[in-house]
Amino acid sequence: MKEISLDFIFTKKFLFFLVVVVAFVAFFHRLGEAPLSGDGIGYGQIAKEMTVTGDYLTPYHDGVPIFYTSKPPLLYWMMAFSGKILGFSNFSVKLPVALLSFLSIIFLFMFVTKYYDYITAFFASIILIFTQQYLHHGRSVVTDGPFALFFMLALFCFYIASNDKKSFYYYLMSFFIGLSIMTKQASGLLIYFVILGYLFLSKSRSALKNIHFYLSFLLVPLIVLPWHIEMYKRFGDNFVKEYFYSTINNVQGWGNGWTEDKVNYAMSAKKYNFFYEWYIYLQLLVNNYWPWLPFLIYGIYAKLRKTKDIIVNDKRRDIFVLCWALVPLIIFQTASEKNGNYLNILYPVFAVIAAEVLNSFSQKTVQKIIKILVAVSIFASILFIGFPIVSKGIDAQKLTDPIKLIPVVNTIDKNEKIVIRKEDNFVFSSMFLFYADRGNITLSDEDFETKIQEDQKYYFASYKDSFMRDILKKYENKIKLLAETEKTILFTN
């Protein structure tokens, strides 16, 4: 009997097809199953209000201009466009981020195929798809997913322009830098530091002699300045103070209000993923970057060990990869506040470095690795389709419990506002607005308690923390429970 040949699995067409299918399943399957969460529910509501008001420039939240998120509007615009067409839901709001993250896998495969080979491209793509944090951000309503794509494309375009002497790509480089800034504000400027590092270390400085390299810089202010100028014209110093202040002092609080309320640092750090420990990035990689971590460590070590040879012999590809991997990481490390989400822009280059190591083994071993990854990818895709593994394990679950209040909230008169506590403001108010079209009254804990004592009827919602437990006990004869979950409570006085 003639044996069935499996040689087709080593072909570029098959491996690219597999990458596309696996990425599609990973980023899109059950995308709308988990509720929006954390910042995402607030961003979703801002996008929703843009379509309601027809004002696509000003970010409104419950009818009030909001800039303390420090986010430019590009993500809001993409979500508003999706929600306008499909209606606002978990799926439609997450769709633009998932689509851009899916495209990042495709572009990575194409770039690595061109400058390495398609086997390395396959390894890098599969590694990136199965990088837990990258997949999480690619299925969440946060800026980190789109920012990683624009960051990557800007660097790809720069490398193509300088290495292949294709000047048009300088303009694409600046276009994506502009989109990066319009996605995550000043973080987009990190691209320039990577480029400067490359130009400093590489003997080929053709970019510095190319007029198009400099002319392309004009694209960035053309993309970035109009919205910022318009917001300043409308809101003056209040816009500048809220929008830029929170960028510099995010860990102390979101804007002046949070700072004046002296939000506890430990709570803020836990809530917004900020840390002070010098080792936090290493810890995050050790905790989350398996099974790729050993290959990444060895890959970086091997390149650093050959740094002199790489620079002397002008191995531009290695210089490019090292600058991308290390320049942002050094900048992140020197900052006093460290955010685990910042690693997202480094995962594509980490995937390339780890993939190089995998493809450095003997041909026989490489073929075995390909077979293993093909089998694992197919098996994982089947599991993802058959079971809610990604939506339950990767997607944010913060609102899974509080959202159970929504059916009861929907029975309350539309004109009634829900009284919530200030520390729950952005998440709770956004949840009630997005899922139930209910406004809120946000109060300090002291005023929240005073409101309960009033004779007029109000509706209240809160997490069941120590403060709330004391309130329930203190006013047990006055409070009427409407709904209770494991972590939250809805009641009236």
Side-chain angles (χ1 to χ4, degrees):
M1 184 176 178
K2 188 177 179 180
E3 290 187 8
I4 299 175
S5 175
L6 296 178
D7 289 346
F8 71 92
I9 71 171
F10 304 117
T11 64
K12 177 182 175 182
K13 287 184 178 179
F14 174 79
L15 294 178
F16 179 68
F17 173 75
L18 182 65
V19 164
V20 171
V21 171
V22 174
F24 185 86
V25 171
F27 286 109
F28 293 107
H29 187 61
R30 297 179 186 261
L31 183 63
E33 193 164 287
L36 305 179
S37 189
D39 291 343
I41 187 65
Y43 298 163
Q45 177 57 28
I46 290 170
K48 185 177 178 181
E49 291 195 33
M50 282 184 169
T51 64
V52 172
T53 63
D55 183 352
Y56 290 89
L57 293 179
T58 305
Y60 286 100
H61 187 273
D62 199 11
V64 178
I66 177 174
F67 299 106
Y68 63 72
T69 64
S70 76
K71 297 298 185 291
L74 185 55
L75 178 62
Y76 305 149
W77 291 339
M78 291 187 289
M79 292 189 298
F81 179 75
S82 178
K84 185 83 171 177
I85 295 175
L86 302 175
F88 282 90
S89 65
N90 295 335
F91 177 81
S92 67
V93 173
K94 293 179 183 179
L95 182 60
V97 177
L99 179 59
L100 292 178
S101 299
F102 169 76
L103 290 176
S104 72
I105 305 298
I106 308 305
F107 285 121
L108 180 68
F109 187 98
M110 294 168 63
F111 181 84
V112 178
T113 296
K114 178 177 175 63
Y115 292 101
Y116 290 82
D117 55 75
Y118 73 88
I119 300 297
T120 304
F122 168 71
F123 289 155
S125 301
I126 292 298
I127 289 171
L128 189 57
I129 293 171
F130 292 111
T131 296
Q132 178 183 339
Q133 192 175 6
Y134 195 84
L135 181 57
H136 167 73
H137 288 308
R139 293 174 57 92
S140 304
V141 183
V142 289
T143 55
D144 302 277
F147 181 57
L149 171 65
F150 299 143
F151 194 98
M152 178 178 74
L153 289 179
L155 292 178
F156 283 175
C157 289
F158 166 76
Y159 187 79
I160 294 170
S162 60
N163 188 74
D164 298 353
K165 295 180 172 55
K166 295 181 178 180
S167 298
F168 171 71
Y169 280 88
Y170 286 128
Y171 295 98
L172 285 178
M173 171 197 75
S174 289
F175 173 72
F176 288 118
I177 292 174
L179 295 187
S180 297
I181 296 172
M182 289 300 288
T183 300
K184 206 169 172 67
Q185 217 201 89
S187 299
L189 299 176
L190 280 171
I191 299 168
Y192 287 120
F193 288 93
V194 177
I195 291 172
L196 285 173
Y198 176 84
L199 292 174
F200 176 76
L201 294 175
S202 175
K203 292 179 180 179
S204 175
R205 297 185 176 90
S206 58
L208 298 177
K209 303 172 185 176
N210 192 319
I211 186 64
H212 296 286
F213 177 64
Y214 301 101
L215 288 176
S216 74
F217 290 171
L218 297 175
L219 262 181
V220 177
L222 287 176
I223 294 170
V224 171
L225 288 182
W227 179 80
H228 290 82
I229 291 173
E230 179 61 25
M231 290 300 98
Y232 181 73
K233 286 168 63 177
R234 293 188 186 187
F235 302 101
D237 291 340
N238 287 334
F239 163 69
V240 175
K241 195 172 183 180
E242 269 199 29
Y243 182 73
F244 291 107
Y245 177 87
S246 58
T247 299
I248 300 170
N249 299 285
N250 233 343
V251 77
Q252 278 76 36
W254 288 62
N256 276 343
W258 283 82
T259 304
E260 289 167 0
D261 292 334
K262 298 180 181 179
V263 176
N264 178 270
Y265 168 73
M267 182 190 75
S268 182
K270 182 178 180 182
K271 188 173 183 179
Y272 298 113
N273 204 20
F274 280 98
F275 304 91
Y276 271 135
E277 295 83 359
W278 66 267
Y279 55 82
I280 195 63
Y281 294 119
L282 178 60
Q283 180 177 313
L284 288 169
L285 288 172
V286 169
N287 291 343
N288 300 302
Y289 203 63
W290 295 95
W292 322 117
L293 186 60
F295 306 110
L296 172 64
I297 293 174
Y298 179 79
I300 293 177
Y301 165 75
K303 289 184 185 301
L304 290 176
R305 189 180 60 180
K306 300 176 183 176
T307 301
K308 183 177 179 180
D309 174 65
I310 288 172
I311 295 174
V312 170
N313 293 300
D314 196 28
K315 295 182 178 179
R316 300 173 195 172
R317 192 178 68 184
D318 290 325
I319 294 173
F320 175 70
V321 165
L322 277 175
C323 287
W324 182 359
L326 298 182
V327 170
L329 191 59
I330 291 170
I331 294 173
F332 297 159
Q333 189 63 40
T334 56
S336 58
E337 291 95 17
K338 298 169 177 60
N339 189 325
N341 294 343
Y342 294 166
L343 286 175
N344 214 51
I345 60 171
L346 300 180
Y347 286 128
V349 71
F350 286 174
V352 174
I353 294 171
E356 278 190 89
V357 175
L358 287 176
N359 202 21
S360 66
F361 297 116
S362 67
Q363 182 179 0
K364 187 176 181 179
T365 302
V366 168
Q367 289 183 343
K368 287 182 179 179
I369 295 172
I370 292 174
K371 289 179 181 179
I372 292 171
L373 289 182
V374 167
V376 169
S377 298
I378 293 173
F379 180 68
S381 297
I382 293 172
L383 282 179
F384 290 173
I385 293 171
F387 303 94
I389 293 174
V390 177
S391 59
K392 296 293 186 183
I394 298 296
D395 293 351
Q397 303 295 316
K398 185 172 183 179
L399 289 188
T400 302
D401 183 80
I403 204 171
K404 294 174 184 176
L405 299 177
I406 296 300
V408 180
V409 171
N410 280 326
T411 65
I412 299 172
D413 187 279
K414 286 279 186 181
N415 296 319
E416 294 287 351
K417 291 191 173 185
I418 311 297
V419 181
I420 61 176
R421 296 157 61 195
K422 185 169 288 188
E423 66 180 55
D424 301 331
N425 177 37
F426 194 59
V427 174
F428 255 46
S429 66
S430 300
M431 181 181 73
F432 291 135
L433 285 164
F434 187 85
Y435 290 112
D437 292 317
R438 295 299 197 287
N440 70 89
I441 301 171
T442 304
L443 300 175
S444 65
D445 284 358
E446 182 180 347
D447 291 337
F448 184 89
E449 182 176 359
T450 300
K451 206 76 170 173
I452 294 174
Q453 301 173 55
E454 293 183 10
D455 293 331
Q456 184 177 343
K457 184 177 181 180
Y458 292 99
Y459 294 88
F460 302 82
S462 173
Y463 280 105
K464 293 192 295 186
D465 55 10
S466 57
F467 168 81
M468 197 63 236
R469 285 192 289 270
D470 290 341
I471 289 293
L472 290 173
K473 185 176 181 180
K474 186 175 182 180
Y475 300 101
E476 59 181 342
N477 295 326
K478 187 173 180 61
I479 286 175
K480 178 183 178 182
L481 291 179
L482 300 177
E484 184 176 8
T485 70
E486 182 182 349
K487 299 178 181 178
T488 62
I489 187 170
L490 177 71
F491 62 93
T492 185
N493 60 345

